[in-house]
Amino acid sequence: MAVITKKRKKTAKLPQPKKFTVKEVEKLYKYGFFKPDEKIELVNGEIYKMSPIGLKHALVVDILNELFNEILHSNQDLKKKYIVRVQNPLKLSADTVLQPDVAL
C-alpha cells in the first residue's frame, strides 16, 4: 500500500528592517541623507524622526534648565557631580543615541 504525503512548501522569509549603528548614522548625516538640523534618535538600531520643537516645549525646557542649574549651584557637592545638558546627544551604546530635552 502506497502512502501519499503532501510536500510542504517552504515559506519565504519576510524582509527584515536594517538595523543601524551610530557610525552608520553619522555617515548618513555626512553624506546628506539627513539635514544637519534634522533631529533623529537611534534606538536599538532603529531611526526615529523627532518632531520639531514648539514654543511651549522650548519654554518648558528653558524652565527646567534654569531650575536644575539653580539646584546644582546651591549645593557644592551636587555641582561637583552633575551637569545639566540641554538637547545634546547621549550615546548609550553602539546602536543607541538619544537626544533628551534635558539630562543631568
Side-chain angles (χ1 to χ4, degrees):
M1 172 160 129
V3 177
I4 301 173
T5 59
K6 201 176 196 182
K7 285 189 178 182
R8 289 188 190 180
K9 288 184 181 179
K10 276 191 174 182
T11 55
K13 278 191 170 183
L14 295 175
Q16 297 298 309
K18 162 79 173 115
K19 296 280 188 168
F20 293 90
T21 65
V22 173
K23 287 183 180 185
E24 289 172 325
V25 171
E26 287 171 348
K27 285 181 184 177
L28 290 173
Y29 268 112
K30 181 180 175 181
Y31 295 117
F33 188 81
F34 299 111
K35 297 174 191 166
D37 61 340
E38 192 170 0
K39 268 187 92 170
I40 63 161
E41 287 188 336
L42 181 67
V43 181
N44 296 324
E46 296 179 8
I47 297 172
Y48 292 89
K49 188 173 180 180
M50 305 306 291
S51 57
I53 297 170
L55 293 176
K56 280 185 177 180
H57 181 105
L59 178 63
V60 170
V61 169
D62 288 344
I63 291 169
L64 287 172
N65 182 30
E66 260 186 64
L67 179 66
F68 288 145
N69 273 300
E70 283 177 21
I71 291 168
L72 293 182
H73 290 284
S74 68
N75 184 315
Q76 285 300 321
D77 290 336
L78 292 176
K79 187 177 176 182
K80 290 177 187 177
K81 294 179 184 178
Y82 301 99
I83 61 168
V84 179
R85 296 187 56 171
V86 177
Q87 297 174 342
N88 290 321
L90 179 62
K91 182 178 176 182
L92 299 180
S93 68
D95 67 353
T96 300
V97 174
L98 304 178
Q99 291 199 20
D101 296 317
V102 180
L104 290 174

